[in-house]
């Protein structure tokens, strides 16, 4: 496959949405899970991304991921230059660090200290992904709730965003959020894939809402209905790559460049033009993560 070619699920070339020069943001990626993070960043530049936020797990890569960022970006720059795309910029990369709820039983005092230590890095802009996951039940629910409350409190203490992973546990997550309190810097309902009724109380709490590949799935009418209800100043886009690639690339390994397809569908669901959607979601991301401070 050509470096600059994007293919759909049938392996046919597909054009990216035209945002008329506006930039977009992938606010939740797992770059370290991709086969070649540098290549993915280079391709995301071609897809007009200006910002990628990647997740660092306290149980896997919290100590190393910040040190990897500049090398990935330099390699991406070299790839673009070698391919003749000298005017294409490599996106900024920021980091979210925390303990996934599925791994809550693994958390130790050393792990908590490590999250706090890594979060002091100026490239770290959030705590997470934190929350509750009752789908796999790999950690007891009570243990997950304790970790969730602890990480919400840490985000508030450090004045950075909390990135919420909530799966089959929205009622309990609301209970924890209400009892612990929202972090001052805010919280992101990451990869939202439910309908309007589930979303409403999170909007009342002031959550940002980030949409990923599921927004584009053909039968996801309820997700698109929910997107239409989110105030524009609370909208975000993401991939959650390498998982859940959007249409028309569903079934492939997801990558930050595919944010473009989700942003295109978000524009349709919200009644914004492509350019307006890009400008709104990109501005929201930069402001939320303090990228211009």
């Amino acid at each position: 496959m050509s470096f600059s070619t994007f293919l759909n699920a049938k392996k046919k070339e597909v054009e990216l949405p035209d945002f008329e020069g506006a930039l977009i943001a992938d606010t939740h990626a797992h770059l370290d899970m991709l086969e070649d993070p540098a290549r993915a960043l280079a391709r995301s530049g071609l897809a007009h991304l200006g910002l990628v936020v990647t997740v660092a797990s306290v149980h896997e890569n919290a100590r190393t991921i910040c040190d990897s960022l500049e090398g990935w970006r330099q390699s991406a720059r070299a790839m673009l230059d070698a391919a003749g795309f000298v005017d294409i910029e490599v996106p900024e990369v920021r980091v979210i660090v925390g303990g996934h709820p599925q791994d809550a039983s693994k958390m130790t005092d050393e792990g908590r200290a490590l999250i706090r230590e890594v979060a002091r890095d100026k490239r770290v802009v959030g705590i997470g992904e934190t929350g509750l996951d009752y789908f796999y039940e790999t950690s007891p629910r009570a243990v997950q709730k304790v970790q969730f409350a602890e990480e919400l409190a840490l985000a508030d203490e450090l004045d950075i965003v909390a990135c919420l992973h909530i799966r089959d546990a929205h009622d309990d997550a609301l209970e924890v959020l209400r009892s612990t309190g929202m972090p001052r810097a805010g919280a992101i309902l990451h990869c939202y894939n439910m309908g309007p009724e589930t979303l409403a109380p999170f909007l009342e709490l002031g959550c940002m809402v980030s949409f990923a590949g599921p927004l584009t799935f053909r039968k996801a009418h309820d997700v698109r209905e929910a997107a239409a209800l989110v105030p524009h100043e609370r909208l975000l886009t993401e991939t959650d790559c390498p998982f859940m690639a959007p249409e028309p690339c569903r079934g492939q390994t997801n990558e930050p460049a595919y944010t473009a397809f989700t942003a295109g569908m978000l524009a349709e669901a919200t009644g914004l033009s492509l350019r307006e959607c890009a400008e709104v979601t990109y501005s929201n991301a930069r402001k939320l993560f303090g990228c211009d401070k």
Side-chain angles (χ1 to χ4, degrees), residues 137-237:
E137 301 270 20
T138 53
S139 291
R141 295 183 179 188
V143 176
Q144 291 188 45
K145 290 179 182 179
V146 169
Q147 176 176 285
F148 186 20
E150 290 176 346
E151 294 194 339
L152 286 173
L154 179 59
D156 185 65
E157 176 189 336
L158 299 177
D159 198 21
I160 55 178
V161 175
C163 178
L164 311 184
H165 171 105
I166 304 172
R167 189 173 187 186
D168 292 356
H170 289 79
D171 288 344
D172 281 4
L174 283 168
E175 181 182 331
V176 175
L177 280 167
R178 286 167 176 157
S179 60
T180 305
M182 287 275 287
R184 288 170 293 161
I188 305 168
L189 197 56
H190 136 70
C191 194
Y192 189 74
N193 64 351
M194 305 286 285
E197 296 80 9
T198 302
L199 180 61
F202 291 93
L203 290 178
E204 291 175 5
L205 284 174
C207 288
M208 304 290 287
V209 188
S210 185
F211 292 95
L215 180 75
T216 71
F217 296 170
R218 293 170 185 170
K219 296 182 179 181
H221 306 296
D222 57 340
V223 185
R224 292 186 281 276
E225 289 175 10
L229 299 179
V230 179
H232 293 169
E233 65 272 16
R234 306 250 212 104
L235 290 168
L236 296 169
T237 53

